[in-house]
Amino acid sequence: MQYFGLQFINIGLSFVLPLYVQDVLGASPMSAGLMMLPGALIGAIVAPLAGRSYDRIGAAPLLILSASLAGAAMALFAGFTGHLTVGLIALLYTLLRIGFNTGFGTAVSDASLQVTGPQKADQNAMFSMMQQFAGSLGTSLMAAVIAARALHSKPMAATISGSRADFLGLLGLAVVILLSAVVIAKRQAANNQ
């Protein structure tokens, strides 16, 4: 759930944010792309740190932290939708990327421990398929929500209201990811006693 959900949020949001910045804030495509660069760079730094933490403390705390950060970022995006600036979007996207990079690799690593040698190839194929499916589903659903709003509003208003609806939907998914991480943590704690 964590792997699929985090990828869905990541790719879905990576579609909505540049669209918002260009349609609502009137920024150039170059500005929209550069706005996402700090989050990507900081996320790349966080990933190996999360890997080291995984080796020390296990998956459950990292998955809970990951979902919490993703949920916080989505709640802030939803709350500030009408007041977002390029700088604020970059900051919130960085928060999301910290959460994403904390949990995404952790989910893969932890799942790999649950599978024996001959099944590793099947697991890798499944992860690859899930990543592609989550990304395409996330993008198409985010686009469909904004397009549905455009049927009854002007483009800027449709992008704002559609983005808010998308942010709320992604917040709901982050909450589901968080709840599943808490359930996994409780099961692991019970098994260790």
Side-chain angles (χ1 to χ4, degrees):
M1 176 64 200
Q2 285 83 7
Y3 181 86
F4 183 89
L6 287 172
Q7 182 67 356
F8 186 101
I9 292 171
N10 179 49
I11 300 297
L13 192 62
S14 295
F15 169 78
V16 172
L17 294 179
L19 187 68
Y20 183 97
V21 168
Q22 292 175 71
D23 289 355
V24 177
L25 302 179
S28 69
M30 177 74 135
S31 297
L34 289 174
M35 164 197 74
M36 300 179 88
L37 182 61
L41 292 175
I42 291 174
I45 293 167
V46 167
L49 298 175
R52 274 190 241 149
S53 297
Y54 169 70
D55 291 338
R56 283 195 331 269
I57 62 174
L62 293 173
L63 294 174
I64 291 170
L65 174 64
S66 172
S68 298
L69 291 174
M74 295 319 308
L76 291 167
F77 273 121
F80 290 107
T81 302
H83 308 287
L84 291 172
T85 63
V86 173
L88 182 57
I89 291 171
L91 182 66
L92 296 179
Y93 183 69
T94 299
L95 177 64
L96 175 87
R97 291 299 300 190
I98 291 169
F100 174 81
N101 285 73
T102 299
F104 194 71
T106 300
V108 173
S109 297
D110 195 53
S112 294
L113 294 177
Q114 313 304 319
V115 176
T116 59
Q119 297 172 324
K120 294 278 186 192
D122 292 336
Q123 180 191 36
N124 289 337
M126 184 185 74
F127 274 132
S128 180
M129 181 274 304
M130 283 176 31
Q131 186 174 13
Q132 296 300 318
F133 183 64
S136 60
L137 184 63
T139 302
S140 59
L141 287 178
M142 300 299 106
V145 169
I146 293 173
R149 299 292 172 112
L151 295 173
H152 307 290
S153 321
K154 293 185 179 182
M156 183 184 291
T159 302
I160 293 171
S161 66
S163 295
R164 180 175 285 119
D166 285 341
F167 296 151
L168 289 170
L170 294 175
L171 172 59
L173 180 56
V175 169
V176 170
I177 295 168
L178 177 59
L179 292 174
S180 70
V182 169
V183 168
I184 289 168
K186 286 183 180 181
R187 283 185 187 160
Q188 286 178 348
N191 290 339
N192 291 337
Q193 290 180 351

